[in-house]
Amino acid sequence: HMGWLVADYPEIMKEAKENREVLEQILSEWPELEAFLDGRIRSLEFTRWRQPASADNSADLLVTRYSFKDAQQIVASITTLLQSFVPEECVEMKSLLMSIDTRRTGRVPLAKFYTLGESRFAESVPYLRELGALDETSAWHGQQLLMANYLQAASNCKVSTSHYHICCPSDCDVVRREIEAVVTSPLAPAVSLLNVVGNMTVFDDLEDAPVKITNTLVKQLHDIAGSHGGLVPVHGRLFAQWLHYVFPHECPFPHKPGTTKMTGPSEFKADIFVSEADLIGYRASLQKAVEATPEEMDELDWMSQWSHDEELLAEHAHVMFDVSGEEGLPLKIASVLCFLVMLGVGAWAGRSRKAGSGGSCFDSKSHMV
């Protein structure tokens, strides 16, 4: 597991294996991790002692030795429970980022991000862009770090391999669970969602604060509902995007599929750290920058990253079938043909009602108003 934790830095891993002090320097929580690993071994031993003695395990009870199966069980339990060591570090990172987010938008200029002066806040622009932690759509603010996206990026994962990640938990899951507990449906009216979200609180500045839903966000949610037959798909990309702007510190911005990657540091093909020359340039630009006050945010269009592209889960996408585009052309043609047939046989249909037959292309139990 130590290999997992520093797998992206093979030179450091080699040195750490030879020198325990190096290991404790790069993993400040190593003593707690070591105690955790010992605890998993002791848990297995306790489980074995509680099992009835048999011909297969009687010898193992007298001698401390472990089979390959035992090793599998220990590794499996470590893999499942290692996540418990991540939240504390994530909370610390979030607090540092929030301390420089004076506009409370979940976005901080890269120049301010790089002034934190810590090695973990030093990813290069190309790497941040691939991770989806960068907003480059604002002409006023320039390149900005997306805080929620950054916290869940692969560069901050405690473990990041091609098949396994242990990363910061998503605070947005708490928000979604509260919404889903009230709505209990994949589709909901905008008014209902506004009532639910409007009664929620956010943990900001060491105290609970009411959620602020601007007039712009109210309009955006109604627009989402309007484009989906009057109901908002709560598991769609547009609602996730709306939640991001309501809870910018908790909910990540939902990029369109295929535009970002969960690329670990060792998998990225270019420099993962910002160069010293770029740092100097960003620090110089920070001195010239003019911060906008929260009251000016509407004028500066802080939602410049908003996109109208929707993505729906397959389980309810059929409910929102859109007949306005080319995909709906066959249905349109069928409807027109059906209407013409109904006109042509209208008189016949009227006479045949007495006989119990229907003159509609649709189910005989349906009615049109």
Side-chain angles (χ1 to χ4, degrees):
H1 278 75
M2 183 192 74
W4 272 0
L5 297 174
V6 293
D8 292 317
Y9 311 100
E11 298 83 3
I12 296 179
M13 184 170 66
K14 181 180 179 181
E15 189 176 354
K17 287 181 178 179
E18 300 172 354
N19 188 339
R20 182 186 177 88
E21 293 183 359
V22 173
L23 182 62
E24 294 178 352
Q25 288 176 3
I26 61 176
L27 295 174
S28 58
E29 70 276 20
W30 175 250
E32 291 81 5
L33 278 171
E34 191 173 33
F36 165 70
L37 299 178
D38 289 339
R40 302 320 304 160
I41 296 174
R42 292 179 181 274
S43 176
L44 174 68
E45 292 175 347
F46 179 73
T47 301
R48 292 198 327 194
W49 273 101
R50 292 187 61 186
Q51 292 177 347
S54 64
D56 295 331
N57 68 359
S58 58
D60 292 339
L61 296 176
L62 302 176
V63 182
T64 303
R65 62 184 183 184
Y66 307 97
S67 65
F68 182 73
K69 184 179 180 180
D70 292 335
Q72 284 183 314
Q73 292 179 357
I74 293 173
V75 171
S77 66
I78 292 173
T79 302
T80 303
L81 299 175
L82 191 61
Q83 172 77 21
S84 61
F85 285 92
V86 176
E88 184 177 349
E89 185 176 349
C90 296
V91 170
E92 181 184 352
M93 284 195 296
K94 182 177 180 179
S95 297
L96 284 171
L97 291 171
M98 288 186 66
S99 69
I100 61 174
D101 181 17
T102 56
R103 296 179 290 120
R104 291 294 181 261
T105 62
R107 288 161 169 75
V108 293
L110 275 188
K112 294 183 70 174
F113 169 69
Y114 288 136
T115 58
L116 290 174
E118 299 191 24
S119 58
R120 62 182 172 185
F121 299 124
E123 290 90 342
S124 65
V125 169
Y127 190 33
L128 290 173
R129 185 179 295 122
E130 178 153 325
L131 293 173
L134 205 57
D135 179 0
E136 301 179 270
T137 62
S138 174
W140 179 276
H141 299 294
Q143 295 172 316
Q144 301 177 94
L145 181 88
L146 292 166
M147 286 175 47
N149 294 67
Y150 176 76
L151 288 172
Q152 295 182 45
S155 60
N156 289 315
C157 292
K158 183 65 67 175
V159 176
S160 180
T161 69
S162 58
H163 61 280
Y164 186 73
H165 295 277
I166 295 182
C167 310
C168 292
S170 173
D171 293 333
C172 198
D173 289 344
V174 178
V175 174
R176 283 192 169 276
R177 280 197 296 269
E178 188 167 344
I179 293 173
E180 292 170 358
V182 177
V183 173
T184 66
S185 173
L187 305 170
V191 174
S192 299
L193 292 171
L194 287 170
N195 288 336
V196 174
V197 176
N199 288 320
M200 297 172 69
T201 57
V202 290
F203 189 72
D204 196 2
D205 292 334
L206 302 180
E207 62 181 12
D208 287 340
V211 173
K212 296 179 181 178
I213 306 178
T214 65
N215 292 334
T216 301
L217 286 170
V218 171
K219 181 181 182 301
Q220 291 285 15
L221 190 62
H222 281 290
D223 288 346
I224 295 172
S227 63
H228 293 92
L231 297 175
V232 178
V234 297
H235 300 118
R237 181 190 168 277
L238 286 179
F239 184 63
Q241 184 175 232
W242 187 84
L243 283 178
H244 163 71
Y245 283 102
V246 178
F247 302 95
H249 298 125
E250 290 76 25
C251 297
F253 180 84
H255 294 280
K256 288 177 283 188
T259 59
T260 63
K261 296 179 181 179
M262 194 71 170
T263 306
S266 63
E267 300 171 315
F268 192 61
K269 303 304 180 183
D271 292 333
I272 62 172
F273 295 116
V274 64
S275 66
E276 188 63 32
D278 287 339
L279 277 179
I280 295 174
Y282 280 112
R283 288 166 184 165
S285 66
L286 182 62
Q287 297 176 355
K288 303 176 183 178
V290 178
E291 282 288 335
T293 62
E295 292 76 15
E296 297 173 311
M297 291 312 301
D298 284 340
E299 297 178 11
L300 299 178
D301 189 20
W302 71 284
M303 294 175 63
S304 57
Q305 202 174 11
W306 183 277
S307 166
H308 295 284
D309 295 321
E310 179 67 291
E311 290 287 336
L312 300 176
L313 290 180
E315 64 183 32
H316 69 271
H318 68 281
V319 179
M320 309 306 302
F321 182 74
D322 183 9
V323 299
S324 61
E326 294 181 359
E327 294 83 1
L329 186 59
L331 181 58
K332 291 179 179 178
I333 295 174
S335 299
V336 171
L337 291 175
C338 179
F339 181 68
L340 292 175
V341 170
M342 290 173 64
L343 288 177
V345 298
W348 175 85
R351 291 192 300 270
S352 63
R353 286 195 188 99
K354 297 180 180 179
S357 61
S360 172
C361 298
F362 304 100
D363 194 315
S364 58
K365 294 183 180 180
S366 300
H367 65 279
M368 302 181 68
V369 294

